[in-house]
Amino acid sequence: MAEPMKIRAQMQGDTADIKVLMNHIMETGLRKDAKTGQMIPAHFIQQVNVTVGGKTVLDAQWGYAVAKNPFLGFKVKGAKAGEKIVVNWVDNKGDKRTDEATIA
């Protein structure tokens, strides 16, 4: 998972509109390979954590029923322009990813 996440955050009044596109294959473990007929092993994001200005604003546990390259959009009331957003995820194989952005 070498590709970074795409994070966009803009203020709308006193609320930050945050959008995150995560690069991940998100395999369910229920699908067969078309060429070999073998089951493709499960590989999906299990834990997502987002902080804004050092405070946790989102902590989610995901399962295998989330689409490839998941998109996450949410709003945070009381955020300020210039605050740092940090997005972390961990998948079921122990792979981890952390990226950050600043609220515009």
Side-chain angles (χ1 to χ4, degrees):
M1 300 300 128
E3 294 183 42
M5 289 180 256
K6 294 180 183 174
I7 305 171
R8 304 260 191 270
Q10 293 187 336
M11 291 301 298
Q12 295 177 346
D14 67 340
T15 303
D17 185 20
I18 301 172
K19 296 175 181 170
V20 183
L21 181 61
M22 302 173 198
N23 293 301
H24 198 282
I25 61 173
M26 300 298 283
E27 281 293 344
T28 65
L30 304 174
R31 193 169 66 93
K32 289 184 179 181
D33 184 283
K35 293 180 183 175
T36 66
Q38 299 287 343
M39 295 298 285
I40 298 171
H43 190 192
F44 56 90
I45 295 172
Q46 285 187 312
Q47 176 87 26
V48 179
N49 179 275
V50 181
T51 62
V52 174
K55 291 183 177 181
T56 299
V57 296
L58 185 137
D59 191 18
Q61 288 75 44
W62 286 356
Y64 61 81
V66 176
K68 179 180 178 178
N69 298 328
F71 174 80
L72 181 62
F74 58 98
K75 296 178 187 279
V76 177
K77 196 167 187 126
K80 294 177 177 56
E83 283 188 309
K84 185 165 68 170
I85 302 163
V86 179
V87 180
N88 300 291
W89 62 250
V90 179
D91 70 19
N92 67 314
K93 292 187 175 186
D95 293 334
K96 298 178 183 181
R97 185 75 188 166
T98 300
D99 277 311
E100 57 186 61
T102 303
I103 299 173

